[in-house]
Amino acid sequence: MTSIEASARATGTIERAVNVLREATAIKGKVQTRGVGLALWVLRGRCPDEWLVAFWDAAGSDHEIGRSQGLHAAYNGIVRQLRCSGALADPTRMK
């Protein structure tokens, strides 16, 4: 975000972090990458730690079905928390 408003920059960063996590849910195989780690770091304090830890754990799972279900469940929980807290600028864009 290049906005001079701090709140707009923060919202943009949160939206980018959520987009990284959304893309990670679509990847087959382990996805514990630097981008996912940074996205989870950005979201700390805005979501319960258990959702962030659940996403990280699922991302590194060897079990394909458990990984997929865990990622989707954790991602949905993270987005729900961000919507409820008002951290996402336009909640209708995030699905």
Side-chain angles (χ1 to χ4, degrees):
M1 251 344 248
T2 57
S3 175
I4 58 171
E5 282 188 48
S7 62
R9 282 195 311 273
T11 301
T13 301
I14 292 166
E15 288 179 357
R16 283 195 305 269
V18 171
N19 286 338
V20 167
L21 298 185
R22 185 181 67 235
E23 290 168 11
T25 63
I27 296 172
K28 294 198 180 285
K30 291 184 181 182
V31 291
Q32 284 189 354
T33 65
R34 183 176 177 192
V36 170
L38 289 172
L40 295 173
W41 179 258
V42 165
L43 297 175
R44 78 197 186 291
R46 297 189 179 271
C47 303
D49 289 342
E50 59 263 17
W51 286 112
L52 303 177
V53 170
F55 192 96
W56 184 253
D57 287 345
S61 173
D62 285 325
H63 193 272
E64 182 65 28
I65 292 174
R67 185 191 65 79
S68 177
Q69 290 176 348
L71 283 174
H72 283 90
Y75 172 79
N76 289 333
I78 289 167
V79 170
R80 191 176 313 114
Q81 291 294 320
L82 292 172
R83 284 181 180 164
C84 290
S85 70
L88 290 175
D90 183 10
T92 60
R93 284 183 27 202
M94 307 306 295
K95 295 189 179 188

Coordinates of all heavy atoms in Angstrom, one line a residue:
M1 N 0.9 -1.2 0.0 CA 0.0 0.0 0.0 C 0.9 1.2 0.0 O 1.8 1.3 0.8 CB -0.8 0.0 1.3 CG -2.3 -0.3 1.4 SD -3.3 -0.3 0.1 CE -4.3 1.1 0.4
T2 N 0.6 2.2 -0.8 CA 1.4 3.4 -0.9 C 0.6 4.6 -0.3 O 1.1 5.7 -0.4 CB 1.8 3.7 -2.3 OG1 0.6 3.8 -3.1 CG2 2.7 2.7 -2.9
S3 N -0.5 4.4 0.3 CA -1.3 5.4 0.9 C -0.5 6.1 2.0 O 0.2 5.5 2.7 CB -2.6 4.9 1.4 OG -3.3 5.9 2.1
I4 N -0.8 7.4 2.2 CA -0.2 8.1 3.3 C -0.9 7.9 4.6 O -0.4 8.3 5.6 CB 0.0 9.7 3.0 CG1 -1.4 10.3 2.7 CG2 0.9 9.9 1.8 CD1 -1.3 11.8 2.6
E5 N -2.1 7.4 4.5 CA -2.9 7.1 5.7 C -2.5 5.8 6.3 O -2.5 4.8 5.6 CB -4.4 7.0 5.3 CG -5.1 8.3 5.1 CD -6.6 8.1 5.0 OE1 -7.2 7.4 5.8 OE2 -7.1 8.7 4.1
A6 N -2.1 5.8 7.6 CA -1.7 4.6 8.2 C -2.7 3.5 8.3 O -2.4 2.3 8.1 CB -1.2 4.9 9.7
S7 N -4.0 3.9 8.5 CA -5.0 2.9 8.5 C -5.2 2.2 7.2 O -5.5 1.0 7.1 CB -6.4 3.5 9.0 OG -6.8 4.5 8.1
A8 N -5.1 3.0 6.1 CA -5.2 2.4 4.8 C -4.0 1.4 4.5 O -4.2 0.3 3.9 CB -5.3 3.4 3.7
R9 N -2.8 1.8 4.9 CA -1.7 0.9 4.7 C -1.9 -0.4 5.5 O -1.6 -1.5 5.1 CB -0.4 1.6 5.2 CG 0.1 2.5 4.2 CD 1.6 2.9 4.4 NE 1.8 3.3 5.8 CZ 1.7 4.5 6.3 NH1 1.3 5.5 5.5 NH2 1.9 4.8 7.6
A10 N -2.4 -0.3 6.8 CA -2.6 -1.5 7.6 C -3.6 -2.4 7.0 O -3.4 -3.6 7.0 CB -3.0 -1.0 9.0
T11 N -4.7 -1.8 6.5 CA -5.8 -2.6 5.9 C -5.2 -3.3 4.7 O -5.5 -4.5 4.5 CB -7.0 -1.7 5.6 OG1 -7.5 -1.1 6.8 CG2 -8.1 -2.6 4.9
G12 N -4.5 -2.6 3.9 CA -3.9 -3.2 2.7 C -3.0 -4.4 3.0 O -3.0 -5.4 2.4
T13 N -2.2 -4.2 4.1 CA -1.3 -5.3 4.5 C -2.1 -6.5 5.0 O -1.7 -7.6 4.6 CB -0.4 -4.8 5.6 OG1 0.4 -3.7 5.1 CG2 0.6 -5.9 6.1
I14 N -3.1 -6.3 5.7 CA -4.0 -7.4 6.2 C -4.6 -8.1 5.0 O -4.6 -9.3 4.9 CB -5.1 -6.9 7.2 CG1 -4.4 -6.4 8.4 CG2 -6.1 -7.9 7.4 CD1 -5.3 -5.6 9.3
E15 N -5.1 -7.3 4.0 CA -5.7 -8.0 2.8 C -4.7 -8.8 2.1 O -5.0 -9.9 1.6 CB -6.4 -6.9 2.0 CG -7.6 -6.3 2.6 CD -8.3 -5.2 1.7 OE1 -7.7 -4.9 0.7 OE2 -9.3 -4.8 2.2
R16 N -3.5 -8.3 1.9 CA -2.4 -9.0 1.2 C -2.1 -10.3 2.0 O -1.9 -11.4 1.4 CB -1.2 -8.2 1.1 CG -1.3 -7.2 -0.1 CD 0.1 -6.6 -0.5 NE 0.8 -6.0 0.6 CZ 0.8 -4.8 1.0 NH1 0.0 -3.9 0.4 NH2 1.5 -4.4 2.0
A17 N -2.1 -10.2 3.3 CA -1.8 -11.4 4.1 C -2.9 -12.5 3.9 O -2.6 -13.6 3.8 CB -1.6 -11.0 5.6
V18 N -4.1 -12.0 3.9 CA -5.2 -12.9 3.7 C -5.2 -13.5 2.3 O -5.4 -14.7 2.1 CB -6.6 -12.2 4.0 CG1 -7.8 -13.1 3.6 CG2 -6.7 -11.9 5.5
N19 N -4.8 -12.8 1.3 CA -4.7 -13.3 0.0 C -3.6 -14.4 -0.1 O -3.7 -15.4 -0.8 CB -4.4 -12.2 -1.0 CG -5.6 -11.3 -1.3 OD1 -6.7 -11.7 -1.1 ND2 -5.3 -10.1 -1.7
V20 N -2.5 -14.2 0.6 CA -1.4 -15.2 0.6 C -1.9 -16.5 1.2 O -1.7 -17.6 0.7 CB -0.2 -14.7 1.4 CG1 0.8 -15.8 1.7 CG2 0.5 -13.6 0.6
L21 N -2.7 -16.4 2.3 CA -3.2 -17.6 2.9 C -4.3 -18.2 2.0 O -4.3 -19.5 2.0 CB -3.8 -17.2 4.3 CG -2.9 -16.6 5.3 CD1 -3.6 -16.5 6.7 CD2 -1.7 -17.5 5.5
R22 N -5.1 -17.4 1.3 CA -6.1 -18.0 0.4 C -5.4 -18.8 -0.7 O -5.8 -19.9 -1.0 CB -7.0 -16.9 -0.1 CG -8.1 -17.5 -1.0 CD -9.0 -16.5 -1.6 NE -8.3 -15.7 -2.6 CZ -8.2 -14.4 -2.6 NH1 -8.7 -13.7 -1.6 NH2 -7.5 -13.7 -3.5
E23 N -4.3 -18.2 -1.3 CA -3.6 -18.9 -2.3 C -2.9 -20.2 -1.8 O -2.8 -21.2 -2.5 CB -2.5 -18.0 -2.9 CG -3.2 -16.8 -3.7 CD -2.2 -15.7 -4.1 OE1 -0.9 -15.9 -3.9 OE2 -2.6 -14.7 -4.6
A24 N -2.5 -20.1 -0.6 CA -1.8 -21.3 0.0 C -2.8 -22.5 0.2 O -2.4 -23.6 0.1 CB -1.2 -21.0 1.4
T25 N -4.1 -22.2 0.4 CA -5.1 -23.2 0.5 C -5.3 -24.0 -0.8 O -5.8 -25.1 -0.8 CB -6.4 -22.7 1.0 OG1 -7.0 -21.8 0.1 CG2 -6.3 -22.1 2.4
A26 N -4.9 -23.4 -1.9 CA -5.1 -24.0 -3.2 C -3.9 -24.8 -3.7 O -4.0 -25.6 -4.6 CB -5.4 -22.9 -4.2
I27 N -2.8 -24.7 -3.0 CA -1.6 -25.4 -3.4 C -1.6 -26.8 -2.9 O -2.0 -27.1 -1.8 CB -0.3 -24.7 -2.8 CG1 -0.3 -23.3 -3.5 CG2 0.9 -25.4 -3.1 CD1 0.8 -22.4 -2.8
K28 N -1.2 -27.8 -3.7 CA -1.1 -29.2 -3.3 C 0.3 -29.4 -2.7 O 1.3 -28.8 -3.1 CB -1.3 -30.1 -4.5 CG -2.6 -30.0 -5.1 CD -2.9 -31.2 -5.9 CE -4.3 -31.2 -6.5 NZ -5.3 -31.5 -5.6
G29 N 0.3 -30.2 -1.6 CA 1.6 -30.4 -0.9 C 1.8 -29.4 0.1 O 1.1 -28.5 0.4
K30 N 2.9 -29.6 0.9 CA 3.3 -28.7 2.0 C 3.5 -27.3 1.5 O 4.0 -27.0 0.4 CB 4.6 -29.2 2.6 CG 4.4 -30.4 3.4 CD 5.7 -30.8 4.1 CE 5.7 -32.1 4.8 NZ 6.9 -32.3 5.5
V31 N 3.0 -26.3 2.3 CA 3.1 -24.9 1.9 C 3.7 -24.0 3.0 O 3.4 -22.8 3.0 CB 1.7 -24.4 1.4 CG1 1.3 -25.0 0.2 CG2 0.7 -24.5 2.6
Q32 N 4.5 -24.6 3.9 CA 5.1 -23.7 4.9 C 6.2 -22.9 4.2 O 7.4 -23.3 4.1 CB 5.7 -24.5 6.0 CG 4.6 -25.0 7.0 CD 5.2 -25.7 8.2 OE1 6.4 -25.8 8.3 NE2 4.3 -26.0 9.1
T33 N 5.9 -21.8 3.7 CA 6.8 -20.9 3.0 C 7.0 -19.6 3.8 O 6.3 -19.3 4.8 CB 6.3 -20.5 1.6 OG1 5.1 -19.7 1.8 CG2 5.9 -21.7 0.8
R34 N 8.0 -18.9 3.4 CA 8.3 -17.6 4.0 C 7.1 -16.7 3.9 O 6.7 -16.0 4.9 CB 9.5 -17.0 3.4 CG 9.9 -15.7 4.0 CD 11.2 -15.2 3.4 NE 11.5 -13.9 4.0 CZ 12.5 -13.1 3.5 NH1 13.1 -13.5 2.4 NH2 12.7 -12.0 4.0
G35 N 6.4 -16.7 2.8 CA 5.2 -15.8 2.6 C 4.1 -16.1 3.5 O 3.5 -15.2 4.1
V36 N 3.8 -17.4 3.7 CA 2.8 -17.8 4.7 C 3.2 -17.4 6.1 O 2.4 -16.9 6.9 CB 2.5 -19.4 4.6 CG1 1.6 -19.8 5.7 CG2 1.9 -19.7 3.3
G37 N 4.5 -17.7 6.4 CA 4.9 -17.3 7.8 C 4.8 -15.8 8.0 O 4.3 -15.3 9.1
L38 N 5.1 -15.0 7.0 CA 5.0 -13.5 7.1 C 3.5 -13.1 7.2 O 3.2 -12.2 8.0 CB 5.7 -12.8 6.0 CG 7.2 -12.9 6.0 CD1 7.8 -12.3 4.7 CD2 7.8 -12.1 7.2
A39 N 2.7 -13.7 6.4 CA 1.3 -13.4 6.5 C 0.7 -13.7 7.9 O -0.1 -12.9 8.4 CB 0.5 -14.2 5.4
L40 N 1.1 -14.9 8.5 CA 0.6 -15.2 9.8 C 1.1 -14.2 10.8 O 0.4 -13.8 11.8 CB 1.0 -16.6 10.1 CG 0.3 -17.7 9.3 CD1 0.9 -19.1 9.6 CD2 -1.2 -17.7 9.5
W41 N 2.4 -13.7 10.6 CA 3.0 -12.8 11.5 C 2.2 -11.4 11.5 O 1.9 -10.8 12.5 CB 4.4 -12.5 11.1 CG 5.1 -11.6 12.0 CD1 5.4 -10.2 11.7 CD2 5.6 -11.8 13.3 NE1 6.1 -9.6 12.7 CE2 6.2 -10.5 13.8 CE3 5.7 -12.8 14.2 CZ2 6.8 -10.4 15.0 CZ3 6.2 -12.7 15.4 CH2 6.8 -11.5 15.8
V42 N 1.8 -11.0 10.3 CA 1.0 -9.8 10.1 C -0.3 -9.9 10.8 O -0.8 -8.9 11.4 CB 0.8 -9.5 8.6 CG1 -0.3 -8.4 8.4 CG2 2.1 -9.0 8.0
L43 N -0.9 -11.1 10.8 CA -2.2 -11.2 11.4 C -2.2 -11.5 12.9 O -3.3 -11.5 13.5 CB -2.9 -12.4 10.7 CG -3.2 -12.1 9.2 CD1 -3.8 -13.4 8.5 CD2 -4.1 -10.9 9.0
R44 N -1.0 -11.7 13.5 CA -1.0 -11.9 14.9 C -1.6 -10.8 15.7 O -1.4 -9.6 15.2 CB 0.5 -12.2 15.4 CG 1.3 -10.9 15.5 CD 2.7 -11.2 15.6 NE 3.5 -9.9 15.8 CZ 3.6 -8.9 14.9 NH1 3.0 -9.0 13.8 NH2 4.3 -7.8 15.3
G45 N -2.3 -11.0 16.7 CA -2.9 -10.0 17.5 C -4.3 -9.6 16.9 O -5.1 -8.9 17.6
R46 N -4.6 -10.0 15.7 CA -5.9 -9.6 15.1 C -6.8 -10.9 15.1 O -8.0 -10.8 14.8 CB -5.7 -9.1 13.7 CG -4.9 -7.8 13.7 CD -5.0 -7.2 12.3 NE -4.2 -6.0 12.3 CZ -4.8 -4.8 12.5 NH1 -6.1 -4.7 12.8 NH2 -4.1 -3.7 12.4
C47 N -6.2 -12.0 15.2 CA -6.9 -13.3 15.2 C -6.4 -14.1 16.5 O -5.3 -13.9 16.9 CB -6.6 -14.1 14.0 SG -6.9 -13.3 12.5
P48 N -7.2 -15.0 16.9 CA -6.8 -15.9 18.0 C -5.6 -16.7 17.5 O -5.5 -17.2 16.4 CB -8.0 -16.8 18.3 CG -9.2 -16.0 17.8 CD -8.7 -15.2 16.6
D49 N -4.6 -16.9 18.4 CA -3.4 -17.7 18.1 C -3.7 -19.1 17.6 O -3.0 -19.6 16.7 CB -2.5 -17.7 19.3 CG -1.8 -16.4 19.6 OD1 -1.8 -15.5 18.7 OD2 -1.3 -16.3 20.7
E50 N -4.8 -19.7 18.1 CA -5.1 -21.0 17.8 C -5.4 -21.2 16.3 O -5.1 -22.2 15.7 CB -6.2 -21.7 18.6 CG -7.5 -21.0 18.6 CD -7.7 -20.0 19.8 OE1 -6.7 -19.6 20.4 OE2 -8.9 -19.6 20.0
W51 N -6.0 -20.1 15.7 CA -6.3 -20.2 14.2 C -5.0 -20.1 13.4 O -4.8 -20.8 12.4 CB -7.3 -19.1 13.8 CG -8.7 -19.3 14.2 CD1 -9.4 -18.6 15.2 CD2 -9.6 -20.4 13.8 NE1 -10.7 -19.2 15.3 CE2 -10.8 -20.3 14.5 CE3 -9.4 -21.4 12.9 CZ2 -11.8 -21.1 14.3 CZ3 -10.5 -22.3 12.7 CH2 -11.7 -22.1 13.4
L52 N -4.1 -19.2 13.8 CA -2.9 -19.0 13.1 C -2.0 -20.3 13.2 O -1.4 -20.7 12.2 CB -2.1 -17.8 13.7 CG -2.9 -16.5 13.6 CD1 -2.1 -15.4 14.3 CD2 -3.3 -16.1 12.2
V53 N -1.9 -20.9 14.4 CA -1.2 -22.1 14.6 C -1.8 -23.2 13.9 O -1.1 -24.0 13.2 CB -1.1 -22.4 16.1 CG1 -0.5 -23.8 16.4 CG2 -0.2 -21.4 16.9
A54 N -3.1 -23.3 13.8 CA -3.8 -24.4 13.1 C -3.5 -24.3 11.6 O -3.2 -25.3 10.9 CB -5.3 -24.3 13.3
F55 N -3.4 -23.0 11.1 CA -3.1 -22.9 9.7 C -1.7 -23.3 9.4 O -1.4 -24.1 8.5 CB -3.3 -21.4 9.2 CG -3.2 -21.2 7.7 CD1 -4.4 -21.2 7.0 CD2 -2.0 -21.1 7.1 CE1 -4.4 -21.0 5.6 CE2 -2.0 -21.0 5.7 CZ -3.2 -21.0 5.0
W56 N -0.7 -22.9 10.2 CA 0.7 -23.3 10.1 C 0.9 -24.8 10.2 O 1.6 -25.4 9.4 CB 1.5 -22.6 11.1 CG 3.0 -22.8 11.0 CD1 3.8 -23.6 11.7 CD2 3.8 -22.3 9.9 NE1 5.1 -23.6 11.3 CE2 5.1 -22.8 10.2 CE3 3.6 -21.5 8.8 CZ2 6.2 -22.5 9.3 CZ3 4.7 -21.1 8.0 CH2 6.0 -21.6 8.3
D57 N 0.2 -25.4 11.1 CA 0.3 -26.9 11.3 C -0.2 -27.6 10.1 O 0.4 -28.6 9.6 CB -0.4 -27.3 12.6 CG 0.3 -26.9 13.8 OD1 1.5 -26.6 13.8 OD2 -0.3 -27.0 14.9
A58 N -1.4 -27.2 9.6 CA -2.0 -27.8 8.5 C -1.2 -27.6 7.2 O -1.0 -28.5 6.4 CB -3.4 -27.3 8.3
A59 N -0.6 -26.4 7.1 CA 0.3 -26.1 5.9 C 1.4 -27.1 5.8 O 1.9 -27.4 4.7 CB 0.8 -24.7 6.0
G60 N 2.0 -27.6 6.9 CA 3.1 -28.5 6.9 C 2.8 -29.9 7.0 O 3.7 -30.8 7.1
S61 N 1.5 -30.3 7.0 CA 1.1 -31.7 7.2 C 1.4 -32.5 5.9 O 1.3 -32.1 4.8 CB -0.4 -31.7 7.4 OG -0.9 -33.0 7.5
D62 N 1.8 -33.8 6.2 CA 2.1 -34.7 5.1 C 0.8 -35.4 4.6 O 0.8 -36.0 3.6 CB 3.0 -35.8 5.6 CG 4.4 -35.3 5.7 OD1 4.9 -34.5 4.9 OD2 5.2 -35.8 6.6
H63 N -0.3 -35.3 5.4 CA -1.5 -36.0 5.1 C -2.4 -35.1 4.2 O -2.8 -34.0 4.7 CB -2.3 -36.4 6.4 CG -3.4 -37.3 6.1 ND1 -4.6 -36.9 5.8 CD2 -3.4 -38.7 6.1 CE1 -5.4 -37.9 5.6 NE2 -4.7 -39.0 5.8
E64 N -2.5 -35.4 2.9 CA -3.2 -34.5 2.0 C -4.6 -34.1 2.4 O -4.9 -32.9 2.4 CB -3.2 -35.2 0.6 CG -3.9 -34.4 -0.5 CD -3.0 -33.1 -0.8 OE1 -1.8 -33.1 -0.7 OE2 -3.7 -32.2 -1.3
I65 N -5.4 -35.0 2.8 CA -6.8 -34.7 3.2 C -6.8 -33.9 4.4 O -7.5 -32.8 4.5 CB -7.7 -36.0 3.3 CG1 -7.8 -36.6 1.9 CG2 -9.0 -35.6 3.9 CD1 -8.6 -37.9 1.9
G66 N -6.1 -34.3 5.4 CA -6.0 -33.5 6.7 C -5.5 -32.1 6.4 O -5.9 -31.1 7.0
R67 N -4.5 -32.0 5.6 CA -3.9 -30.7 5.3 C -4.9 -29.8 4.6 O -5.1 -28.7 5.0 CB -2.7 -30.9 4.3 CG -1.9 -29.6 4.1 CD -0.9 -29.7 3.0 NE -1.5 -30.0 1.7 CZ -2.1 -29.1 0.9 NH1 -2.2 -27.9 1.3 NH2 -2.7 -29.5 -0.2
S68 N -5.6 -30.3 3.6 CA -6.6 -29.5 2.9 C -7.7 -29.1 3.8 O -8.1 -27.9 3.8 CB -7.1 -30.4 1.7 OG -8.1 -29.6 1.0
Q69 N -8.3 -30.0 4.5 CA -9.4 -29.7 5.4 C -8.9 -28.7 6.5 O -9.6 -27.8 6.9 CB -10.0 -30.9 6.0 CG -10.7 -31.8 5.0 CD -11.2 -33.1 5.6 OE1 -10.9 -33.4 6.7 NE2 -12.1 -33.7 4.9
G70 N -7.7 -28.9 7.1 CA -7.2 -28.1 8.1 C -6.9 -26.6 7.6 O -7.2 -25.7 8.3
L71 N -6.4 -26.5 6.4 CA -6.1 -25.2 5.8 C -7.4 -24.4 5.6 O -7.5 -23.3 5.9 CB -5.4 -25.3 4.5 CG -3.9 -25.6 4.6 CD1 -3.3 -25.9 3.2 CD2 -3.1 -24.5 5.3
H72 N -8.4 -25.1 5.0 CA -9.7 -24.4 4.7 C -10.4 -24.0 6.0 O -10.9 -22.9 6.1 CB -10.6 -25.3 3.9 CG -10.2 -25.3 2.5 ND1 -9.3 -26.3 2.0 CD2 -10.5 -24.5 1.4 CE1 -9.1 -26.0 0.7 NE2 -9.8 -25.0 0.3
A73 N -10.4 -24.9 7.0 CA -11.0 -24.6 8.3 C -10.3 -23.4 9.0 O -11.0 -22.5 9.5 CB -11.0 -25.8 9.2
A74 N -9.0 -23.4 9.0 CA -8.2 -22.4 9.7 C -8.4 -21.1 8.9 O -8.6 -20.0 9.5 CB -6.8 -22.8 9.8
Y75 N -8.3 -21.1 7.6 CA -8.5 -19.9 6.7 C -9.9 -19.3 7.0 O -10.0 -18.1 7.2 CB -8.3 -20.3 5.3 CG -8.6 -19.1 4.4 CD1 -7.7 -18.1 4.2 CD2 -9.9 -19.0 3.7 CE1 -8.0 -17.0 3.4 CE2 -10.2 -17.9 2.9 CZ -9.3 -16.9 2.7 OH -9.6 -15.9 2.0
N76 N -10.9 -20.1 7.0 CA -12.2 -19.6 7.2 C -12.3 -19.0 8.6 O -13.0 -17.9 8.8 CB -13.3 -20.7 7.1 CG -13.5 -21.1 5.6 OD1 -13.2 -20.3 4.7 ND2 -13.9 -22.3 5.4
G77 N -11.7 -19.6 9.6 CA -11.7 -19.0 11.0 C -11.0 -17.7 11.0 O -11.5 -16.7 11.7
I78 N -9.9 -17.6 10.3 CA -9.1 -16.3 10.3 C -9.9 -15.2 9.7 O -10.0 -14.1 10.2 CB -7.8 -16.5 9.6 CG1 -6.8 -17.4 10.4 CG2 -7.1 -15.2 9.2 CD1 -5.6 -17.9 9.7
V79 N -10.5 -15.5 8.5 CA -11.3 -14.5 7.8 C -12.5 -14.1 8.6 O -12.8 -12.9 8.7 CB -11.7 -15.0 6.4 CG1 -12.8 -14.1 5.8 CG2 -10.5 -15.2 5.5
R80 N -13.2 -15.0 9.3 CA -14.3 -14.7 10.1 C -13.9 -13.8 11.2 O -14.6 -12.8 11.5 CB -14.9 -16.0 10.7 CG -16.2 -15.8 11.4 CD -16.8 -17.1 11.9 NE -16.8 -18.2 10.9 CZ -16.0 -19.3 11.0 NH1 -15.3 -19.5 12.0 NH2 -16.1 -20.2 10.0
Q81 N -12.8 -14.0 11.9 CA -12.3 -13.2 13.0 C -12.0 -11.8 12.4 O -12.3 -10.8 13.1 CB -11.0 -13.8 13.6 CG -11.3 -15.0 14.4 CD -12.2 -14.7 15.6 OE1 -12.0 -13.7 16.3 NE2 -13.1 -15.6 15.9
L82 N -11.3 -11.7 11.3 CA -11.0 -10.4 10.7 C -12.2 -9.6 10.3 O -12.3 -8.4 10.5 CB -10.1 -10.6 9.5 CG -8.7 -11.1 9.8 CD1 -7.9 -11.4 8.6 CD2 -7.9 -10.1 10.7
R83 N -13.2 -10.3 9.8 CA -14.5 -9.6 9.4 C -15.2 -9.0 10.7 O -15.6 -7.9 10.7 CB -15.4 -10.5 8.7 CG -15.1 -10.8 7.3 CD -16.1 -11.7 6.7 NE -15.7 -12.0 5.3 CZ -16.2 -13.0 4.6 NH1 -17.1 -13.8 5.1 NH2 -15.9 -13.1 3.3
C84 N -15.2 -9.9 11.7 CA -15.9 -9.5 13.0 C -15.2 -8.3 13.6 O -15.9 -7.4 14.2 CB -16.0 -10.6 13.9 SG -17.2 -11.9 13.4
S85 N -13.9 -8.2 13.5 CA -13.1 -7.2 14.1 C -13.1 -5.9 13.3 O -12.6 -4.9 13.7 CB -11.7 -7.6 14.4 OG -11.0 -7.8 13.2
G86 N -13.5 -6.0 12.0 CA -13.5 -4.9 11.1 C -12.2 -4.6 10.5 O -11.9 -3.5 10.0
A87 N -11.3 -5.6 10.6 CA -9.9 -5.4 10.0 C -9.8 -5.4 8.5 O -8.9 -5.0 7.9 CB -9.0 -6.4 10.6
L88 N -10.9 -6.0 7.9 CA -10.9 -6.1 6.4 C -11.7 -4.9 5.9 O -12.8 -4.6 6.4 CB -11.5 -7.4 5.9 CG -10.7 -8.6 6.1 CD1 -11.4 -9.9 5.7 CD2 -9.4 -8.5 5.4
A89 N -11.2 -4.2 5.0 CA -11.8 -2.9 4.5 C -13.2 -3.2 3.8 O -14.2 -2.6 4.0 CB -10.9 -2.2 3.5
D90 N -13.2 -4.3 3.0 CA -14.5 -4.6 2.3 C -14.7 -6.1 2.4 O -14.3 -6.9 1.6 CB -14.4 -4.2 0.8 CG -15.6 -4.5 0.0 OD1 -16.7 -4.9 0.7 OD2 -15.6 -4.4 -1.2
P91 N -15.4 -6.5 3.5 CA -15.6 -8.0 3.8 C -16.3 -8.7 2.7 O -16.2 -9.9 2.5 CB -16.4 -8.0 5.0 CG -16.8 -6.6 5.4 CD -16.1 -5.7 4.5
T92 N -17.1 -8.0 1.8 CA -17.8 -8.7 0.7 C -16.8 -9.2 -0.4 O -17.1 -10.1 -1.1 CB -18.8 -7.8 0.0 OG1 -18.2 -6.7 -0.5 CG2 -19.9 -7.4 1.0
R93 N -15.6 -8.7 -0.4 CA -14.6 -9.1 -1.4 C -14.0 -10.5 -1.0 O -13.5 -11.2 -1.8 CB -13.5 -8.1 -1.5 CG -13.9 -6.9 -2.3 CD -12.8 -5.9 -2.5 NE -11.4 -6.6 -2.5 CZ -10.3 -5.9 -2.2 NH1 -10.4 -4.6 -2.0 NH2 -9.2 -6.5 -2.2
M94 N -13.9 -10.7 0.3 CA -13.2 -11.9 0.8 C -14.3 -13.0 1.0 O -15.3 -12.8 1.6 CB -12.6 -11.7 2.2 CG -11.6 -10.5 2.2 SD -10.4 -10.5 1.0 CE -9.5 -12.0 1.5
K95 N -14.0 -14.2 0.4 CA -14.9 -15.3 0.5 C -14.2 -16.5 1.0 O -13.1 -16.7 0.9 CB -15.5 -15.6 -0.9 CG -16.4 -14.5 -1.4 CD -17.1 -14.9 -2.6 CE -18.0 -13.7 -3.0 NZ -18.8 -13.9 -4.0

